[in-house]
Amino acid sequence: MITRSLKSAYYSLLKYPMRSSAWFYKTFKCPPSGLKVHLGPGQGNYLSGWVNLDANFITSKIDLWADLHHPLPFRDASVNIFYSHHVIEHLPDKLLANKFAEMFKALAPRGGIRIGVPHLGNACHKFVQKDYTWFSNFPETRDSIGGKLMNFIFCGGEHLTALDESYLSELAKKAGFVDIQFCLPSKETNLAELGINSQVLSLEHESDIEYPHTAILEARKP
């Protein structure tokens, strides 16, 4: 895993080039409507036919080089759907409300979002149950149930906030979203733009259907 100090140096050094890239896209390249946007594809989750946005241009396959710590580079009402899976927990908590507001503004009327994050509520439930098997040994092997919980919530310092269904609902409602629902990862969607056999759902993996490791929020702009 890349150290926090190395990542900080990367973002500090390339802060203004990334801002320039985002500004150029929004000003000259962003179409007025019809976009499907994938926030944070990482190294192996590129979605064909989507605008894949990531700050990592070295190892990730991307279409748009931009940093989610900065405003989203899309015109108002230009996006039909946003998708993000295990990404926004890497942002500081103070940015989350702004990010939901930015998605809301960029969406066309009745546009949708599907956001997946590590499920804090289920992790706490399994912690209380002392269910060691529910947790993994990533990013470090931990023998105690408390250590395994810390792995899940903080991921070696990579996660900067923790979310459950109630907090995701709060963020979505305050931004103006409606039709807020939660779905099983890889199994369910209420967004017709995705469909049950979509490539989006194929990126999601879940070993526990009763207590999923990921909370999946779906919602729409009125």
Side-chain angles (χ1 to χ4, degrees), residues 8-157:
S8 295
Y10 172 92
Y11 283 102
S12 178
L13 181 65
L14 297 176
K15 175 181 179 180
Y16 292 107
M18 275 192 281
R19 283 190 169 184
S20 296
S21 172
W23 173 84
F24 183 84
Y25 179 86
K26 183 176 182 179
T27 305
F28 297 108
K29 297 184 67 176
C30 183
S33 63
L35 286 177
K36 296 187 293 184
V37 177
H38 183 191
L39 301 175
Q43 297 183 21
N45 293 328
Y46 184 89
L47 288 173
S48 299
W50 292 62
V51 176
N52 294 267
L53 180 156
D54 205 304
N56 181 1
F57 73 97
I58 299 173
T59 60
S60 298
K61 183 179 180 182
I62 61 174
D63 304 303
L64 176 54
W65 185 41
D67 184 356
L68 289 179
H69 290 82
H70 304 150
L72 294 175
F74 303 104
R75 297 177 182 175
D76 294 359
S78 64
V79 179
N80 286 347
I81 186 167
F82 280 103
Y83 176 64
S84 176
H85 193 68
H86 285 248
V87 172
I88 68 169
E89 67 273 11
H90 294 265
L91 298 174
D93 180 55
K94 64 181 181 180
L95 289 184
L96 293 184
N98 287 342
K99 209 53 54 183
F100 273 78
E102 289 167 19
M103 287 190 292
F104 186 88
K105 187 177 181 182
L107 282 169
R110 299 305 297 164
I113 59 173
R114 182 179 175 93
I115 308 294
V117 299
H119 201 312
L120 173 64
N122 285 349
C124 291
H125 179 83
K126 290 299 183 178
F127 168 78
V128 171
Q129 286 189 328
K130 290 184 166 49
D131 185 350
Y132 288 75
T133 63
W134 190 86
F135 299 93
S136 75
N137 283 320
F138 182 83
E140 297 181 45
T141 299
R142 299 282 178 81
D143 296 328
S144 67
I145 193 67
K148 290 179 180 295
L149 179 65
M150 292 302 99
N151 260 350
F152 186 86
I153 294 176
F154 297 112
C155 193

Side-chain angles (χ1 to χ4, degrees), residues 154-182:
F154 297 112
C155 193
E158 291 298 309
H159 296 173
L160 301 183
T161 190
L163 302 108
D164 71 340
E165 293 179 353
S166 68
Y167 189 23
L168 285 170
S169 292
E170 176 185 344
L171 290 165
K173 287 177 182 176
K174 286 184 176 179
F177 285 98
V178 297
D179 300 339
I180 296 170
Q181 301 180 65
F182 289 89

